[in-house]
Amino acid sequence: MQVTIAEQRGGRNMVRTKATSTTHSNGGKQALAKLERIRKISSERPKEKLTNLGHVISFDFLLDCFNALDGKKAVGVDGIKKEVYAADLTANLTDLIMRIRRGTYRPQPARLVEIPKEDGSTRPLAISCIEDKIVQMATARILESIYEPRFLKSSFGYRPGRNAHDAIETLTQEVRNVSHGAILEIDLKRYFNSIPHDKLMAVLRMLIADERFLKLIEVQIRTSMRGAAGDEPTVCGVPQGAILSPVLSNVYLHYGIDRWVDAFATTANSPLRGQVRLVRFCDDMIFILSRKEEGRDFEKMLRARLAKIGIELNEAKSSLQPAGRWAIERLVKDGIRPPSFRFLGFELYWKRAIAGFYRLGYKPRADRLRAKLKSIKEHLHRNRNTKNHIPLLKEVKQVVQGWVRYFSITDCGRLIHFFVTAVRRLIHRWFNHRGGRQFISWMRVSPILERIDFPTGPCRLRSMFPKSSKANQLHISGA
């Protein structure tokens, strides 16, 4: 059976030349109601396919997507900024909606930028034009309404109400339930850029029967990339950096990995005797096995599964290691240092709790900390001749606050304090390297930082343990 998500009022399909704010507001509410209707159908009738999804993409829906875009982001190959596009917004959106409905919409090539990574390699980032960002956001919102009710609890990345701290807390709880098991840490090699288009479209067709909407998705994932050598066609993968890519990547791994792992717990014919739990944040995955001896067998099955869905494993960033209080205690008794692993910018290691058993400990990755300090130092150096220092210090403050908030969890207080202190020292040094002959003491710099409420240390640390635990709650003002 197919369910039609269609316009209830025929007048909404008319081409507009003028639109009042009241119409926009009503149209925006109608679009939200349609998305909620899709979400309800997807949740209550999981076996039914959805069709006529393109009718959700109305003028007012695109207007709402346009208003949600960040005008400060980098521009695409056409060089058009958000305020320029807004100068004739009604005409631009009217033309865009007509091209979408006629099936003649074609995105412009995305500007390709290589972003350096900590290991010395680069990450290709696609920067789309403002009009293409509008269509991507509209498509992503519809897909989220369809798939969000179907995603499993093991998935955390790029989902509303679920963040990295939630993923680490869930990982902690799963590991606490293991006494003599194993942890399989895997990293996918250039996952966004290697998703096979044919397999991705086949996955989408399992729930979507609207061929026009599927065609709209397909033309977006096949957007050409404009680099130094000119335009290059996209033969596989989804553009990393595009608004649409996170939800598509989650959909593909939901069917490729999440449901496959979930079958180990729900199927009586599971090839493993023990339990397997997954914590996934987009393409970063941690598998927790209750039986250590089954680690290698599961790793082989996982490799075969990844090969089947066309994804390659990054061997250098993947590892299998023992986990659980008994397994770690045995390593320590044998004089072996328990191994650590990395997840979402944190380094997770084993430490002895106050009660005597071994638990997971957390700290920011050392390479990430050094890289952030280096980038702040270089930013200050590039702006050493600026006359008005307050705006610059506020920029640094925003960066520091974001870093502190992200790493403010159990065990990280000491390194957060080190990071904030190091940044404040860089600022003091920057004041004395601006060309003046007179030395500026810290007593003169400190009041300047206090006036802009510059962080002095970590904010309240989020506990990674059960709510009844009173672990590591620290409050230092200024973050």
Side-chain angles (χ1 to χ4, degrees):
M1 182 184 297
Q2 294 182 341
V3 179
T4 301
I5 307 298
E7 297 281 346
Q8 299 299 320
R9 298 173 60 185
R12 282 289 173 205
N13 292 330
M14 298 175 61
V15 178
R16 306 170 185 226
T17 56
K18 288 187 178 180
T20 63
S21 59
T22 303
T23 304
H24 291 169
S25 177
N26 293 337
K29 292 179 180 179
Q30 289 183 8
L32 292 177
K34 293 174 184 177
L35 293 179
E36 186 59 32
R37 173 65 174 164
I38 295 173
R39 182 185 297 268
K40 185 177 181 180
I41 292 173
S42 182
S43 176
E44 296 178 353
R45 291 175 263 175
K47 294 184 179 180
E48 296 179 354
K49 289 188 176 183
L50 298 172
T51 186
N52 284 348
L53 293 169
H55 284 284
V56 181
I57 307 179
S58 62
F59 179 94
D60 299 296
F61 186 43
L62 294 183
L63 176 64
D64 188 57
C65 293
F66 171 80
N67 292 330
L69 292 177
D70 187 356
K72 297 181 181 180
K73 295 291 185 180
V75 298
V77 296
D78 58 359
I80 297 178
K81 298 182 178 180
K82 183 178 180 180
E83 56 268 23
V84 176
Y85 193 86
D88 197 7
L89 185 58
T90 300
N92 288 333
L93 291 183
T94 300
D95 176 67
L96 177 59
I97 190 68
M98 292 304 297
R99 281 184 283 136
I100 292 175
R101 289 178 176 173
R102 291 170 180 169
T104 59
Y105 165 76
R106 294 295 181 271
Q108 299 188 58
R111 183 162 61 91
L112 190 62
V113 178
E114 297 289 343
I115 305 298
K117 298 172 65 175
E118 294 84 359
D119 57 3
S121 62
T122 59
R123 176 185 290 109
L125 192 67
I127 301 177
S128 304
C129 300
I130 185 70
E131 186 174 79
D132 299 330
K133 290 179 181 178
I134 298 172
V135 181
Q136 289 174 19
M137 179 169 290
T139 309
R141 287 183 175 182
I142 296 174
L143 289 176
E144 286 175 357
S145 299
I146 298 172
Y147 289 100
E148 185 61 32
R150 301 170 182 265
F151 286 153
L152 302 182
K153 294 182 179 180
S154 58
S155 170
F156 293 89
Y158 307 113
R159 294 183 59 189
R162 300 169 73 84
N163 56 33
H165 289 181
D166 298 327
I168 295 175
E169 184 177 4
T170 300
L171 173 62
T172 302
Q173 294 173 358
E174 294 292 350
V175 171
R176 283 169 64 93
N177 296 329
V178 173
S179 58
H180 202 282
I183 285 179
L184 177 59
E185 171 198 10
I186 73 165
D187 183 76
L188 304 182
K189 189 173 183 180
R190 301 177 71 89
Y191 167 63
F192 279 84
N193 303 100
S194 59
I195 300 177
H197 287 171
D198 55 342
K199 289 183 171 63
L200 174 61
M201 296 307 299
V203 165
L204 294 174
R205 284 188 170 88
M206 294 171 63
L207 286 182
I208 301 174
D210 187 342
E211 287 298 328
R212 286 191 176 183
F213 184 68
L214 290 170
K215 184 66 176 178
L216 179 63
I217 297 175
E218 191 168 10
V219 297
Q220 293 181 79
I221 64 177
R222 295 186 183 277
T223 302
S224 300
M225 297 294 161
R226 180 167 295 177
D231 294 351
E232 297 182 3
T234 302
V235 295
C236 67
V238 293
Q240 191 167 3
I243 299 174
L244 180 59
S245 298
V247 63
L248 289 177
S249 65
N250 268 337
V251 168
Y252 194 64
L253 284 182
H254 168 73
Y255 286 94
I257 296 296
D258 297 359
R259 291 179 49 172
W260 177 74
V261 174
D262 189 60
F264 283 93
T266 57
T267 304
N269 297 325
S270 173
L272 300 179
R273 295 176 59 190
Q275 295 292 320
V276 180
R277 294 290 184 266
L278 167 65
V279 178
R280 180 176 69 82
F281 194 97
C282 195
D283 58 335
D284 291 329
M285 290 178 272
I286 301 291
F287 298 87
I288 305 98
L289 294 92
S290 61
R291 299 174 67 92
K292 177 183 176 182
E293 61 272 16
E294 293 182 335
R296 293 299 177 189
D297 295 335
F298 177 77
E299 185 178 9
K300 292 178 181 178
M301 290 186 287
L302 179 61
R303 290 175 183 273
R305 180 64 180 178
L306 290 174
K308 184 177 180 179
I309 65 175
I311 303 299
E312 187 177 354
L313 188 67
N314 189 340
E315 300 287 351
K317 297 183 179 180
S318 303
S319 65
L320 177 65
Q321 54 188 258
R325 59 181 68 181
W326 292 353
I328 300 303
E329 188 172 347
R330 176 169 295 183
L331 288 179
V332 174
K333 288 182 179 180
D334 294 340
I336 302 174
R337 181 178 180 179
S340 62
F341 60 96
R342 294 175 172 181
F343 187 52
L344 303 180
F346 290 88
E347 183 174 352
L348 283 73
Y349 60 98
W350 294 94
K351 63 180 297 184
R352 187 181 291 274
I354 297 177
F357 61 87
Y358 284 89
R359 67 165 178 87
L360 284 179
Y362 320 88
K363 62 182 178 180
R365 284 175 49 178
D367 56 340
R368 296 281 180 89
L369 191 152
R370 289 193 298 267
K372 183 61 66 176
L373 287 176
K374 181 180 179 181
S375 66
I376 293 175
K377 180 180 179 181
E378 292 175 348
H379 182 66
L380 291 172
H381 181 73
R382 288 193 300 268
N383 295 275
R384 62 187 180 276
N385 295 323
T386 183
K387 295 182 179 180
N388 189 359
H389 58 268
I390 295 299
L392 176 64
L393 294 180
K394 287 183 177 180
E395 290 179 8
V396 177
K397 172 190 170 182
Q398 290 181 346
V399 174
V400 173
Q401 283 181 324
W403 195 93
V404 168
R405 289 194 185 103
Y406 183 81
F407 288 103
S408 289
I409 67 172
T410 299
D411 298 330
C412 293
R414 183 180 62 84
L415 282 177
I416 290 176
H417 189 269
F418 166 81
F419 171 78
V420 173
T421 302
V423 174
R424 294 169 73 90
R425 288 175 178 171
L426 288 175
I427 293 174
H428 182 209
R429 187 181 304 172
W430 173 77
F431 270 104
N432 284 289
H433 287 181
R434 299 176 64 196
R437 295 183 178 180
Q438 184 178 3
F439 175 78
I440 300 176
S441 67
W442 175 249
M443 298 300 294
R444 292 178 59 187
V445 175
S446 181
I448 298 176
L449 298 181
E450 291 178 1
R451 283 199 296 269
I452 63 173
D453 196 24
F454 198 88
T456 58
C459 60
R460 188 175 181 84
L461 300 183
R462 174 173 171 177
S463 174
M464 293 292 103
F465 303 102
K467 303 305 178 184
S468 59
S469 175
K470 298 182 179 179
N472 279 352
Q473 297 297 328
L474 177 64
H475 177 76
I476 299 180
S477 63

